[in-house]
Amino acid sequence: MRRPCCDKQDTNRGAWSKEEDQKLIDYIQKHGEGCWRSLPQAAGLLRCGKSCRLRWINYLRPDLKRGNFGEDEEDLIIKLHALLGNRWSLIAGRLPGRTDNEVKNYWNSHLRRKLINMGIDPNNHRLNQNLLRSRNPPKPAIATPSGLKVQAIQPPAKPLVDSEQTSDAGSRLDDDQRALPDLNLDLTMSIPSSSIAHVEGNHPKDNESNFLRSQQIAPSSSLLLSQ
DNA sequence: AATGCGCTCAACCGCGCGGAA
DNA sequence: GTTCCGCGCGGTTGAGCGCAT
């Protein structure tokens, strides 16, 4: 049985006050990020480390963009979600100034519905057969908000994603290219200088980089999904 | 004006992973 | 090889808000 991350009796919960925010900002500016477990005590906060980390990453970090998502960002999220599934941190990593929480919320509140309204299943980014039948005769291809052409296809006999994938979308690059023959996924990769050392360092935590490399997904916004 | 409903988003929860002991 | 610990991730919750009735 796992121990709770903190003693809930001694910690504040819920919305953060300005004073708490300021304490956290001051501490991190002075000492930097890291060691979240001991941070609250060191910073004089009655919060658990997890809560501090979340508050900093999702709200207080100075490089956060905040505000509405642009159309280009929407497109990128949809494209990346089609490739990566619900791997929000990976998706957010391609969107400078955006957090995984922000992307996840935006997907659930806006983009998901947007795709549904267009008759596209947000889980697998394919045209919803039922919806299609109930509407007009099938069109050969429909442009999605992300500029992809999606063809109505028969649902596969088995799930698109193996059962290990927590996401119902998962990585389906191969599937898409098989199922969507007109979808020419030209996914070139340009490694920014800052990440070259990271990749070459063969850091054990480079699974994400390796994943993207293996999928030939651009780490920057140079993701190209040509039609 | 009061109420209900739906939406948004900050925050929490539980789990899995990787490193250290 | 096993256990413990800290961190990060994705899913879920709930308060607050705006809009419709």
Side-chain angles (χ1 to χ4, degrees), chain A residues 44-186:
Chain A
L45 287 162
L46 290 174
R47 293 274 179 177
C48 75
K50 236 177 167 178
S51 180
C52 293
R53 178 184 157 268
L54 215 64
R55 183 65 178 170
W56 174 255
I57 287 176
N58 288 331
Y59 202 82
L60 297 176
R61 248 170 46 197
D63 57 327
L64 290 182
K65 204 186 259 181
R66 310 200 64 78
N68 293 339
F69 281 74
E71 224 171 282
D72 51 337
E73 287 179 306
E74 274 191 17
D75 275 3
L76 193 54
I77 292 170
I78 292 169
K79 285 173 185 171
L80 288 169
H81 186 271
L83 294 168
L84 302 168
N86 296 356
R87 297 164 81 162
W88 305 116
S89 61
L90 267 181
I91 295 173
R94 309 294 122 191
L95 292 157
R98 301 296 188 184
T99 69
D100 54 353
N101 210 29
E102 211 177 356
V103 172
K104 179 171 59 183
N105 283 332
Y106 192 70
W107 172 267
N108 286 327
S109 59
H110 291 90
L111 298 179
R112 217 178 134 78
R113 209 186 336 269
K114 192 171 173 178
L115 291 185
I116 290 171
N117 286 340
M118 296 179 72
I120 298 165
D121 186 340
N123 294 327
N124 57 22
H125 293 257
R126 294 181 177 179
L127 278 182
N128 188 327
Q129 286 288 300
N130 296 334
L131 208 144
L132 202 77
R133 275 196 220 99
S134 67
R135 285 184 177 176
N136 299 320
K139 296 172 187 172
I142 288 181
T144 70
S146 58
L148 302 180
K149 271 185 192 168
V150 179
Q151 286 188 319
I153 56 169
Q154 290 298 327
K158 64 168 191 159
L160 287 171
V161 185
D162 64 55
S163 57
E164 283 179 311
Q165 267 286 357
T166 52
S167 157
D168 46 7
S171 171
R172 58 183 62 85
L173 199 57
D174 291 345
D175 270 334
D176 275 344
Q177 289 191 307
R178 248 180 281 125
L180 308 172
D182 69 329
L183 182 61
N184 175 23
L185 293 172
D186 178 13

